Amino acid sequence: MAVAEQRRKQVRDRVRVWKRQFVETNKFPYLLLIPLLLVWGIFFLYPILWAFWLSANSYTFVGSTFVGLENFVTFFTSGDLQLLLYNTFVIGGIAVPLQTVLPLVLAVLINSKLTKQNMTSFFQILFLTPHVVAFTVIAMIFLIILQSNGVLNLMLQNLAGIQVNWVNTKFPAQVSVAFVHSWKMIGLFVLIYLAGLQSVPRSLYQAARIDGANRLQQFRYITIPQMAPIIALVMLLSTNRVVKMFDVPWVLTNQGGPGQATTTLIIWLYREAFVNVNLGYAAAGGLVASLLLGIVFYFQMQLGSSR
Amino acid sequence: MSDNTPTTQATAERAEPSGGYLRRRLHRYNLRSVLVTGFLLVLSAVFMFPLYFMVVSSSFGVGEFFYFPPKLLPGEHFIDNYATILAESTFPGALFNSIVFAGVTMVGVLVVGTMCGYAFARFEFPGRDLLFYGTIIFTLALPWQLVTIPLFDLLVNLGLVNTRMGGILPLFFYAVPFLIIKQNMEQSIVREIIDSARIDGASEFQIFYHIVLPLAKPGIAAAGLIAFIRRFNSLYWPTIVFQIEELRVATQFIADLSGGGTEPTEWTMVMPAATLQTIPIIIMFLMLRKYFVKGLLTGSVKG
């Protein structure tokens, strides 16, 4: 009896010592994480869980009714999903290739020995400058250039005799939004490409030159294959940003107009939640979109960590 | 496409051009090099035109925005326009609100970020990876705008809508700068320094304050700069939480000036306001570009 008792006490002591050691060694990192867990729990985790609850309810600040999957069914059948997909595909179809290809060409030119050495960082800074300007400001500047009696149309009219309603007709508005968004993003992608180009081994180019490859061939057969993961990464980053676009169509094309031609996902979310006060429906749409964005992000992470 | 000089120089020397002085000179400087640099310069000029036009047109009178050929030199209403925006509008207050909004957010983000960054970068503890992926990586995958819907509901319930606190507190959670700080600490803080300080009897807090923070300065600067600029330029969240005149930030002020299709936009106010909002940010970027580039590269490639 006494032996059993003693052994149990021994075990208890050992557990107590182990516990104390555990607390002693891990106390500090856990303490450091308290602020993060507080802000994350209150301002991220709780709202996300709340979003799931909202999506199953018809909710307008004052009251709620449980509607099950109705919000999701409406989102899929009312044409909203189709509208958002269509707009995103048209705007993204212009913006993403533009933001992927043009910065690559620019980065290669800037990085090449053909550019004078002292100019490299000058160009890098220059192309990055628009990236620190607010989208709101950018959209406003372009609005004055693109509107029906703006500088661009005056030039087109006087030089070519045509006029395009850049912000008030459907397709031109989508094109404008794609270009204005790209104007800010190009500098960031030039920067990422320039960093990537540093890791392409010089010896490959030397070998190619000995074999008699010209610059275009070097670009085609060395730069592009070597940069493939970074090109894909930029494409995904660009897609991510285009899908989450808000400020440009909000300001440039008058809150997602004309009609709903430039209504992006985020503008739709804002309108449903805060203008139509249809929080449940907005949450349902947002959750569906998050799923799609999550897939894009998954591939982005795979590429980002493979570097 | 790196062009190595030996080959080109050799070609250049071999084919010594006849022809005039200018042509010989160009050849010596490598014609293709001049062409590429020239092409990039022209493109940069086109690229910079909107910003140039913003600054120049802030001194235009009412009709001068729509001249043909376009007016490209400063107008005569510089003083008028800036006096109006600074003395007769709510813009100075809005700009002040922007600075408070972005500044306080940045400080909060840096406090939370340096603490969690150090924990994730230099400690092994049970649940570390789970916590890191759960709080940082997972949140990067979701569009934050979805979170704002229930978040707004939460703020309504707490009575924090249309208050500075309600607008700023939720933004203390901002995964991208946290990630920047963490990655920088992984590179710049060597375990041996921490271990030797421990042996010398420094407390964990002393190590954090006197050794880790000074060493992590570049990462903190990069993260702070990114956080400040992104928040200073943001429109979506302020539009939701700052719905009253006294709290409106500069981007809201500028966006609200577009007449919404029904009223004509007051361009003589838009351009000075846009210039005043943008120039300080550009100066800040030019002075601290090293940190900004560092932050952008970590922050966007990894998330």
Side-chain angles (χ1 to χ4, degrees):
Chain A
M1 226 29 185
V3 177
E5 185 86 338
Q6 212 165 9
R7 178 161 292 169
R8 220 172 289 142
K9 193 165 174 289
Q10 259 176 359
V11 170
R12 227 180 294 137
D13 280 352
R14 207 174 297 155
V15 167
R16 200 180 305 137
V17 167
W18 184 82
K19 253 188 196 158
R20 199 186 306 136
Q21 271 178 346
F22 179 85
V23 170
E24 212 43 50
T25 48
N26 294 310
K27 193 174 62 186
F28 195 65
Y30 284 128
L31 276 177
L32 286 173
L33 285 177
I34 288 174
L36 173 74
L37 291 174
L38 272 179
V39 288
W40 176 72
I42 300 171
F43 301 122
F44 190 86
L45 185 64
Y46 169 75
I48 280 290
L49 299 175
W50 191 236
F52 280 98
W53 182 86
L54 275 176
S55 70
N57 283 271
S58 173
Y59 185 88
T60 57
F61 298 113
V62 281
S64 69
T65 9
F66 182 78
V67 293
L69 289 175
E70 202 186 292
N71 285 328
F72 289 95
V73 174
T74 315
F75 184 64
F76 281 104
T77 54
S78 68
D80 281 0
L81 177 66
Q82 287 86 327
L83 175 85
L84 294 178
L85 282 176
Y86 178 78
N87 289 347
T88 307
F89 271 109
V90 174
I91 297 172
I94 301 161
V96 174
L98 184 68
Q99 295 178 10
T100 313
V101 177
L102 184 58
L104 179 62
V105 175
L106 285 175
V108 167
L109 287 179
I110 292 172
N111 195 48
S112 78
K113 286 241 166 64
L114 289 175
T115 310
K116 303 222 171 294
Q117 274 306 301
N118 48 350
M119 296 294 268
T120 307
S121 64
F122 169 76
F123 282 125
Q124 182 180 333
I125 293 160
L126 203 130
F127 283 109
L128 199 54
T129 307
H131 195 69
V132 299
V133 182
F135 267 130
T136 312
V137 169
I138 292 170
M140 270 295 186
I141 304 170
F142 276 96
L143 182 58
I144 206 169
I145 295 171
L146 294 174
Q147 63 177 240
S148 51
N149 58 346
V151 174
L152 182 63
N153 264 336
L154 286 171
M155 299 234 290
L156 284 177
Q157 198 171 20
N158 284 281
L159 300 177
I162 48 164
Q163 234 194 343
V164 182
N165 219 332
W166 290 107
V167 289
N168 292 323
T169 46
K170 201 168 182 278
F171 185 63
Q174 291 167 332
V175 175
S176 305
V177 165
F179 269 86
V180 173
H181 186 261
S182 304
W183 188 70
K184 172 161 173 166
M185 298 309 296
I186 279 172
L188 172 67
F189 298 141
V190 168
L191 183 74
I192 293 175
Y193 280 134
L194 277 173
L197 282 169
Q198 307 305 316
S199 63
V200 181
R202 289 254 171 258
S203 56
L204 285 178
Y205 292 108
Q206 281 159 4
R209 252 194 316 279
I210 291 166
D211 292 345
N214 64 30
R215 283 205 190 79
L216 212 61
Q217 285 168 330
Q218 287 173 29
F219 179 69
R220 168 69 189 83
Y221 294 105
I222 300 174
T223 310
I224 291 187
Q226 286 287 317
M227 293 284 283
I230 297 168
I231 296 170
L233 176 71
V234 166
M235 221 169 99
L236 290 168
L237 277 171
S238 164
T239 309
N240 193 330
R241 293 299 187 85
V242 168
V243 173
K244 292 182 186 169
M245 195 193 303
F246 172 80
D247 313 33
V248 174
W250 186 258
V251 177
L252 185 71
T253 51
N254 191 20
Q255 315 192 349
Q260 301 221 62
T262 56
T263 295
T264 57
L265 168 70
I266 308 302
I267 289 188
W268 180 86
L269 275 182
Y270 179 88
R271 202 183 289 146
E272 282 303 326
F274 304 113
V275 180
N276 300 345
V277 200
N278 217 340
L279 275 77
Y281 186 44
L287 284 172
V288 173
S290 302
L291 195 68
L292 299 176
L293 268 171
I295 298 169
V296 173
F297 182 79
Y298 174 76
F299 288 111
Q300 183 185 322
M301 279 306 290
Q302 295 292 310
L303 288 162
S305 54
S306 71
R307 284 191 64 208
Chain B
M1 185 166 57
S2 99
D3 182 65
N4 214 340
T5 31
T7 334
T8 352
Q9 271 172 1
T11 329
E13 278 153 23
R14 225 178 302 126
E16 185 61 34
S18 48
Y21 171 76
L22 184 71
R23 204 170 146 203
R24 267 204 309 272
R25 246 202 112 94
L26 272 180
H27 215 95
R28 211 170 64 206
Y29 276 104
N30 193 343
L31 183 60
R32 268 195 284 196
S33 168
V34 173
L35 280 178
V36 168
T37 310
F39 170 75
L40 282 172
L41 278 174
V42 170
L43 205 70
S44 333
V46 174
F47 207 64
M48 281 291 121
F49 174 73
L51 283 180
Y52 174 78
F53 191 70
M54 173 187 80
V55 177
V56 166
S57 68
S58 67
S59 62
F60 285 1
V62 174
E64 290 178 305
F65 297 90
F66 309 111
Y67 279 178
F68 187 86
K71 198 168 149 65
L72 295 176
L73 293 171
E76 282 149 15
H77 298 264
F78 183 83
I79 294 168
D80 284 357
N81 287 350
Y82 281 88
T84 311
I85 201 81
L86 288 173
E88 291 166 35
S89 78
T90 53
F91 184 72
L95 198 60
F96 173 76
N97 287 341
S98 279
I99 294 167
V100 172
F101 171 66
V104 178
T105 304
M106 181 190 77
V107 172
V109 162
L110 290 182
V111 170
V112 179
T114 45
M115 292 175 76
C116 75
Y118 181 43
F120 285 134
R122 280 294 162 257
F123 284 94
E124 307 280 346
F125 52 89
R128 188 185 74 158
D129 289 352
L130 184 75
L131 282 172
F132 177 65
Y133 277 91
T135 54
I136 313 262
I137 302 296
F138 173 65
T139 56
L140 286 167
L142 287 168
W144 183 70
Q145 288 88 347
L146 166 66
V147 180
T148 59
I149 298 167
L151 192 56
F152 183 74
D153 189 37
L154 177 72
L155 292 181
V156 169
N157 291 334
L158 295 173
L160 287 175
V161 175
N162 283 330
T163 61
R164 281 229 168 82
M165 202 166 100
I168 291 171
L169 259 186
L171 301 183
F172 282 6
F173 179 73
Y174 191 1
V176 173
F178 296 172
L179 201 61
I180 294 170
I181 294 175
K182 181 219 166 207
Q183 296 226 322
N184 177 262
M185 283 182 172
E186 275 173 350
Q187 289 160 7
S188 64
I189 295 162
V190 190
R191 276 176 207 280
E192 283 75 36
I193 299 178
I194 301 174
D195 288 341
S196 66
R198 270 194 202 121
I199 292 165
D200 291 346
S203 75
E204 290 292 343
F205 179 77
Q206 283 172 326
I207 294 173
F208 179 61
Y209 192 78
H210 293 291
I211 295 173
V212 173
L213 285 187
L215 280 173
K217 260 183 199 156
I220 296 172
L225 201 59
I226 297 271
F228 184 87
I229 292 181
R230 292 256 168 97
R231 290 320 180 203
F232 190 78
N233 285 344
S234 65
L235 176 68
Y236 178 81
W237 179 245
T239 309
I240 295 171
V241 283
F242 300 139
Q243 296 170 355
I244 49 171
E245 188 68 44
E246 301 87 77
L247 291 176
R248 259 195 333 171
V249 297
T251 45
Q252 278 174 288
F253 179 92
I254 294 166
D256 289 352
L257 281 177
S258 87
T262 50
E263 293 166 47
T265 308
E266 290 184 68
W267 291 111
T268 53
M269 285 179 80
V270 172
M271 289 306 163
T275 308
L276 288 173
Q277 204 268 358
T278 307
I279 296 301
I281 286 283
I282 290 186
I283 292 172
M284 209 160 117
F285 157 69
L286 290 176
M287 288 192 322
L288 302 168
R289 59 179 182 274
K290 201 178 75 185
Y291 300 111
F292 188 72
V293 164
K294 190 190 187 76
L296 275 183
L297 280 177
T298 349
S300 56
V301 172
K302 305 283 175 178

